[in-house]
Amino acid sequence: MFMLLFFGIIGFAIGRVITLCISSFFHQRNYLNEACANTMIILGSGGHTTEMLEIVKKLNKDKYVPRFYVVSENDQNSVDKLLSIENDKSEYKIYVITRSRKVHQSYFSSIFTTLKSFIDCIPLLHHSRPNLILCNGPGICVPVCIVAYLLKVFYINSACRIVFIESYCRVKTLSLSGWILLYMTDLFVVQWPELAKKVSRKVMYFGRLT
Amino acid sequence: MEFKRIFVTVGTTEFDHLIEKLSEKEVYETFKCRLKCKELIIQRGKGKEIDFSHFEDINVQQFDLKTTIENDIIEADLVISHAGAGTCIDVLGKKKPLLVVVNDTLMNNHQVELAEQLNKDGYLVYCFLSNLVETLEKFDVTSLKEYETGNLNKFIEYLDDFMGFI
């Protein structure tokens, strides 16, 4: 009986993953038709944060609202930068999550911190129920996007769109986060023609964004 | 073309090989005679301070880090920098001639790819430490194109449509 249930769930998940993957190639419009979208923005270290905030500055603040920023612990720099572009406290919220692996951390202990960062993502995504996740490749976007994808697979938050913008400095190869998340995203943007031709038919290319 | 004020920047890392190379006599001659440099400003990051006392006719200033180097870029006639993406964007955005020196001691440095690409598109000149002097000798600012800002608006429009906002 349990075996049957187990295989049923696995079968369902596989079917759902295949459908999501195929539909992500067509970039269907969102049928929510709501006036605004809960937007989650994932900030990483240095360059990633600067690039992401340039995009956020251009978003229509009345439509992409409320905005949930995700930063890794001890990343005061990203917090300072985002505070310089946000002024209405009712429109945004900042979440802090554990980093999967700090520099010089041993691989063994990083298993636990990775697990912790996945667990951190569950309440985060449950409270904010994003309609859109914007990320551009810092390490912490991997657990957030994987958990958001699983919630989609099991129809817990199926209205969530994951948008990945590959960093400006990626000219010929995808970043590791990009490779991991490529087929989980609903929209994947690269900024250089060579990369657009090479990776997959799935990627979108608008020219450089910077 | 005269480059009276040259600004060298290595970002938040260190690139001592570049600063050492710049302090060589050969480079001094090129700066003085070919580029007509009068002032050299060096932002050396985490690297060590290097002696420039033999640069008799050029006024050299050095510092490690600053909250913003925006003014240093604006005031410069030529910027020599490491291949960091952030630095390249900052300098090109301010429409300053840029020479990127690639740190070939860093392995798998994908930032080299960015320098190559921006060079191919005609926005900057790049070189390695080994050919720095020749590159400075034949540096021609008229061969460079002005950097055009990217297509961020196109992406935002697409995203609005994608989210069902149009």
Side-chain angles (χ1 to χ4, degrees):
Chain A
M1 181 62 196
F2 279 114
M3 282 296 264
L4 204 65
L5 190 67
F6 177 73
F7 284 116
I9 293 171
I10 297 285
F12 165 79
I14 292 172
R16 180 82 173 124
V17 165
I18 294 170
T19 350
L20 281 176
C21 188
I22 294 171
S23 68
S24 76
F25 274 79
F26 295 105
H27 296 177
Q28 285 164 315
R29 285 183 61 171
N30 205 336
Y31 293 114
L32 275 181
N33 288 327
E34 285 186 37
C36 53
N38 292 358
T39 306
M40 177 170 282
I41 298 148
I42 304 171
L43 300 180
S45 48
H48 285 301
T49 297
T50 314
E51 273 185 52
M52 181 51 86
L53 293 179
E54 284 304 313
I55 296 170
V56 175
K57 272 188 215 164
K58 292 266 182 174
L59 293 177
N60 185 331
K61 294 281 189 307
D62 303 326
K63 288 174 179 165
Y64 298 89
V65 72
R67 291 174 293 282
F68 304 102
Y69 290 95
V70 181
V71 298
S72 53
E73 50 182 348
N74 303 327
D75 186 7
Q76 190 55 39
N77 188 21
S78 291
V79 175
D80 292 342
K81 277 185 186 158
L82 85 88
L83 291 180
S84 71
I85 67 160
E86 289 285 359
N87 33 36
D88 187 350
K89 276 224 157 91
S90 65
E91 287 189 350
Y92 72 93
K93 197 168 172 188
I94 302 170
Y95 289 103
V96 179
I97 65 168
T98 314
R99 263 198 211 183
S100 354
R101 188 172 173 270
K102 298 188 188 87
V103 187
H104 304 309
Q105 189 184 344
S106 79
Y107 281 99
F108 181 71
S109 69
S110 76
I111 297 173
F112 298 102
T113 44
T114 305
L115 208 63
K116 172 86 167 52
S117 57
F118 272 92
I119 292 168
D120 281 352
C121 296
I122 298 169
L124 170 88
L125 288 160
H126 181 70
H127 289 157
S128 55
R129 295 193 84 80
N131 301 122
L132 170 68
I133 298 181
L134 282 176
C135 60
N136 64 349
I140 63 160
C141 73
V142 176
V144 180
C145 292
I146 289 178
V147 174
Y149 184 70
L150 289 174
L151 297 181
K152 258 171 87 158
V153 168
F154 293 103
Y155 287 100
I156 299 167
N157 180 17
S158 52
C160 179
R161 293 284 176 110
I162 304 173
V163 175
F164 190 103
I165 303 119
E166 188 58 281
S167 168
Y168 173 79
C169 62
R170 288 297 177 161
V171 178
K172 289 179 184 167
T173 54
L174 286 187
S175 60
L176 181 61
S177 331
W179 273 120
I180 296 172
L181 299 174
L182 180 59
Y183 291 100
M184 292 182 211
T185 55
D186 298 283
L187 177 61
F188 195 101
V189 179
V190 297
Q191 306 202 32
W192 295 101
E194 200 174 320
L195 198 51
K197 262 186 262 161
K198 209 162 78 179
V199 179
S200 151
R201 286 179 61 190
K202 183 176 167 145
V203 304
M204 287 291 289
Y205 169 65
F206 301 94
R208 287 183 276 118
L209 303 185
T210 306
Chain B
M1 177 84 189
E2 290 185 357
F3 302 96
K4 283 199 177 119
R5 195 180 167 100
I6 297 178
F7 177 51
V8 180
T9 174
V10 306
T12 49
T13 54
E14 48 108 359
F15 192 1
D16 283 348
H17 292 305
L18 171 64
I19 316 286
E20 273 162 22
K21 180 84 193 173
L22 291 174
S23 70
E24 282 174 13
K25 186 140 189 15
E26 206 184 358
V27 178
Y28 172 68
E29 293 299 328
T30 312
F31 272 176
K32 191 183 147 190
C33 308
R34 163 71 177 78
L35 304 174
K36 311 271 185 278
C37 173
K38 299 267 190 292
E39 259 183 302
L40 181 63
I41 323 292
I42 298 170
Q43 184 267 314
R44 62 170 190 272
K46 294 196 181 100
K48 56 178 189 279
E49 185 158 4
I50 284 157
D51 179 36
F52 276 87
S53 54
H54 52 289
F55 272 45
E56 286 149 0
D57 299 326
I58 299 177
N59 173 18
V60 182
Q61 294 170 35
Q62 292 189 55
F63 61 92
D64 47 7
L65 290 165
K66 243 188 220 182
T67 30
T68 171
I69 53 166
E70 204 182 321
N71 282 333
D72 297 283
I73 297 171
I74 292 169
E75 285 164 10
D77 301 306
L78 167 67
V79 181
I80 299 177
S81 92
H82 72 134
T87 313
C88 293
I89 297 167
D90 285 348
V91 178
L92 294 176
K94 299 196 168 52
K95 323 255 183 236
K96 291 291 174 178
L98 174 61
L99 170 63
V100 166
V101 184
V102 173
N103 190 351
D104 36 10
T105 59
L106 293 180
M107 288 298 288
N108 298 324
N109 185 358
H110 66 255
Q111 299 204 319
V112 178
E113 294 173 5
L114 181 67
E116 273 171 11
Q117 179 69 45
L118 290 170
N119 171 262
K120 209 165 93 186
D121 294 346
Y123 300 127
L124 56 78
V125 175
Y126 84 105
C127 69
F128 299 91
L129 283 176
S130 52
N131 61 350
L132 176 65
V133 178
E134 295 121 86
T135 313
L136 282 171
E137 281 290 342
K138 56 173 197 261
F139 190 82
D140 176 17
V141 74
T142 55
S143 69
L144 293 178
K145 276 197 288 189
E146 206 169 87
Y147 189 73
E148 304 129 48
T149 37
N151 297 319
L152 187 51
N153 287 334
K154 251 161 83 180
F155 166 68
I156 300 289
E157 261 171 47
Y158 190 88
L159 187 68
D160 283 342
D161 183 46
F162 184 64
M163 293 305 294
F165 285 150
I166 291 177

